[in-house]
Amino acid sequence: MDATDNSPEVKAFWEALADGRFLVRRCTDCSRAHWYPRGVCPFCFSGGTEWVDGSGRGTIYSYSVMRRVQTPYAIAYVTLEEGPTMMTNIVDCSFDDLRIGQAVRLSIQKRADGLSLPMFTPA
Amino acid sequence: MTIKNKAYIAGAFEHPTRHAPDKSVAQLHAEVARGALEDAGLTKNDIDGYFCGGDAPGTGPLSMVDYMNLKVRHVDSTNIGGSSYIAHVAHAAEAIAAGKCNVALITLAGRPRSEGTAGGVPPRTDNPVQPDFAWEQPFGLATVNAYGLCAMRHMHEFGTTAEQFAWVKVAASHHAQHNPNAVLRDLVTVEQVVKSPMISDPIHRLDCCVISDGGGALIVARPEIAKNLKRPLVKVIGAGEAPKHQMGGNVDLTYSAAVWSGPTAFAEAGIKPADVKYVSVYDSFTVTVVIQLEDLGFCAKGKGGPFVADGNLISGQGKLPFNTDGGGLCNNHPAHRGGMTKVIEAVRQLRGEAHPAVQVKNCDIALAHGTGGLLGTRHGAATLILERE
Ligand SMILES: [Zn+2]
């Protein structure tokens, strides 16, 4: 089973990402954006949430470079300009130059199997 | 209703094996159950409550009560990862206080070493149906980098150093040298820890716990029953539990759910952190210990690095002796779940049955605390406070 076809709730996110658009889920009642996207607002429990276009801008909250694997990679939490913090990878960068607080921008990366993923790169 | 004074840990047993290629997981569960019953001086027919976590093969407790042929009237398979067994002690005390059972058996066992199942480095293969899966698994979330994220943030916010984290391993190794069953028995230095290979920044190989087969079991009994047994009396006086997660995207990795489970347990027990003579605290990685000790109130938030440095966790040397069996960092981490062994070593300390080289003098109050799941994503904390009577 693919990581992303587990739920009709978030199908629109993955389809938009494949088209180059990064969506963020926001509550139509309390107006707050959350992560990961849900049909029920995790703050006010409203059933009214909607997709909005994300800016793709954020800052690194924390990161860790996995070294003991064939291809090292940087996992990170990035705090989006819209508010919530999401797990992602930082790509196209020198891992040793990464730092917490660094500005990053969205970089949609296509995996070998064709799946597009929301990753980030230094801004 | 409080569980204070309502139940005793009457039996405790840690399987001596650390590598069990010739045994089944169910068999290990039964062997530790036998060991704990023998330790308590009770028999299988005395058990009327059974508790297990996600390591028990089968649906919740069903296959294990069948395998052991138990006739029980109360079961609980709360699964919050490696801290489950600490929570089970509290749940058993609750069940006893409510009259649902008299003698509860809690078991844990697993064979990750023999089965070659994932350690901390390969990406986790959690259930794709869980709602968080698609937002973490594709990015290579493993166990070690989930804790690496926490350690990096702790260093950034509080100036904690790799050397300070390393002291946790050094202290564990001081204790493990006296444990003949420990996986790692050699003393290590701060320099050896920080010069061991970097696994996932800033976690070195020696910042990690061991991978071992094995298990453990506990018997929790009603006071009238415990007092008729021949073992020293170890009483449950307080407990707390709490989950913590990403809070809708308000991620804060600087603290754990111990900030909630700890105060609940201390309030129920009616004691303060300064009253605790010995702590068993979950040590999946060195950073786990630092964050939990802060959250439990043994030092201020952000001061965990200086607190654990310079041997402060070494029995007979520092102010707060911890994990005197060598912990998960050096001794044993059966089934990748360290909560059971935390309670067992706390019981040894309160009974005065720890190794003489690490036995804490006048050990009358001990605390066991665990973090199950992943500190960096979502986890379940459980705190248990025990008193020697
Ligand atoms: Zn809302």
Side-chain angles (χ1 to χ4, degrees):
Chain A
M1 189 188 226
D2 187 86
T4 60
D5 48 47
N6 63 18
S7 171
E9 188 182 12
V10 290
K11 195 161 167 268
F13 175 91
W14 298 105
E15 286 173 354
L17 199 71
D19 287 341
R21 282 176 65 208
F22 175 64
L23 301 180
V24 173
R25 197 78 174 167
R26 189 176 65 185
C27 178
T28 53
D29 281 307
C30 74
S31 304
R32 292 179 70 185
H34 61 264
W35 194 267
Y36 50 88
R38 293 158 218 199
V40 174
C41 173
F43 302 120
C44 74
F45 238 39
S46 162
T49 61
E50 63 178 359
W51 296 111
V52 292
D53 281 305
S55 68
R57 287 188 293 271
T59 55
I60 297 177
Y61 172 78
S62 193
Y63 69 95
S64 179
V65 179
M66 182 70 92
R67 309 271 179 182
R68 302 291 288 180
V69 286
Q70 199 149 27
T71 310
Y73 62 95
I75 199 167
Y77 273 119
V78 163
T79 303
L80 301 173
E81 196 174 64
E82 290 79 10
T85 297
M86 64 176 281
M87 185 170 284
T88 185
N89 293 135
I90 311 294
V91 296
D92 298 330
C93 61
S94 155
F95 292 145
D96 292 333
D97 294 335
L98 290 176
R99 57 184 170 76
I100 288 173
Q102 187 173 357
V104 289
R105 62 178 168 81
L106 184 73
S107 170
I108 298 173
Q109 297 284 316
K110 207 170 233 185
R111 215 162 60 173
D113 63 1
L115 176 70
S116 292
L117 291 167
M119 298 185 180
F120 288 79
T121 191
Chain B
M1 188 176 84
T2 175
I3 58 167
K4 187 175 185 178
N5 305 336
K6 299 288 174 59
Y8 290 71
I9 297 185
F13 180 76
E14 180 184 13
H15 205 296
T17 191
R18 300 293 181 267
H19 189 214
D22 301 325
K23 293 180 192 287
S24 76
V25 172
Q27 184 181 8
L28 289 169
H29 274 270
E31 287 183 359
V32 293
R34 276 168 51 105
L37 281 169
E38 195 181 332
D39 179 59
L42 290 165
T43 68
K44 182 167 90 75
N45 293 339
D46 294 313
I47 298 167
D48 62 353
Y50 177 63
F51 295 70
C52 62
D55 54 288
T59 298
L62 295 180
S63 287
M64 282 316 308
V65 292
D66 182 356
Y67 181 101
M68 294 189 279
N69 192 23
L70 299 178
K71 174 84 172 68
V72 293
R73 60 192 178 107
H74 188 85
V75 291
D76 176 338
S77 55
T78 298
N79 183 23
I80 49 170
S83 58
S84 302
Y85 321 91
I86 300 174
H88 291 158
V89 175
H91 295 188
E94 288 164 20
I96 288 167
K100 304 299 183 189
C101 64
N102 293 316
V103 177
L105 165 69
I106 308 167
T107 65
L108 157 99
R111 319 185 311 149
R113 188 169 166 191
S114 291
E115 292 164 8
T117 50
V121 172
R124 292 172 72 91
T125 51
D126 298 317
N127 185 351
V129 175
Q130 67 192 59
D132 40 74
F133 184 83
W135 313 98
E136 296 171 358
Q137 187 268 349
F139 304 113
L141 174 67
T143 302
V144 62
N145 59 10
Y147 287 78
L149 288 164
C150 301
M152 288 294 274
R153 188 71 200 182
H154 204 275
M155 295 169 101
H156 172 79
E157 290 222 14
F158 307 118
T160 314
T161 66
E163 287 73 18
Q164 289 167 339
F165 285 132
W167 267 108
V168 177
K169 183 76 160 198
V170 171
S173 79
H174 270 262
H175 300 148
Q177 65 178 323
H178 305 293
N179 182 349
N181 294 325
V183 173
L184 303 177
R185 293 192 64 194
D186 292 337
L187 271 181
V188 299
T189 63
V190 167
E191 194 183 11
Q192 282 174 308
V193 177
V194 300
K195 285 194 171 161
S196 65
M198 187 65 85
I199 306 296
S200 192
D201 303 349
I203 296 181
H204 307 85
R205 174 171 287 157
L206 291 182
D207 287 302
C208 304
C209 63
V210 300
I211 292 173
S212 53
D213 298 349
L218 297 164
I219 303 287
V220 183
R222 180 176 294 289
E224 305 87 287
I225 294 168
K227 287 176 185 179
N228 278 318
L229 301 172
K230 295 187 175 65
R231 305 296 279 132
L233 286 167
V234 172
K235 186 163 67 175
V236 177
I237 61 168
E241 60 191 90
K244 180 170 175 273
H245 43 73
Q246 297 176 350
M247 299 184 286
N250 288 331
V251 174
D252 186 341
L253 300 181
T254 59
Y255 69 97
S256 72
V259 296
W260 302 306
S261 67
T264 303
F266 281 116
E268 186 166 47
I271 65 155
K272 302 181 299 300
D275 299 320
V276 174
K277 303 284 176 35
Y278 164 80
V279 293
S280 278
V281 57
Y282 206 122
D283 52 351
S284 45
F285 299 92
T286 54
V287 59
T288 322
V289 173
V290 170
I291 291 179
Q292 291 166 127
L293 289 178
E294 292 172 354
D295 295 339
L296 291 167
F298 290 103
C299 64
K301 178 46 67 183
K303 302 292 184 198
F307 183 79
V308 301
D310 305 321
N312 202 34
L313 301 179
I314 300 174
S315 185
Q317 184 177 328
K319 283 206 191 77
L320 187 67
F322 98 123
N323 300 5
T324 41
D325 59 339
L329 286 169
C330 294
N331 170 31
N332 193 11
H333 194 228
H336 298 315
R337 288 163 171 257
M340 174 61 74
T341 43
K342 296 292 162 289
V343 180
I344 293 172
E345 182 66 6
V347 170
R348 289 192 192 108
Q349 280 288 351
L350 292 167
R351 286 174 170 178
E353 294 176 353
H355 189 282
V358 297
Q359 176 66 49
V360 175
K361 289 190 183 66
N362 307 315
C363 189
D364 55 350
I365 295 179
L367 178 147
H369 176 82
T371 294
L374 295 180
L375 199 59
T377 56
R378 59 200 63 78
H379 63 269
T383 310
L384 179 70
I385 302 176
L386 303 169
E387 183 177 24
R388 182 189 65 206
E389 189 169 284

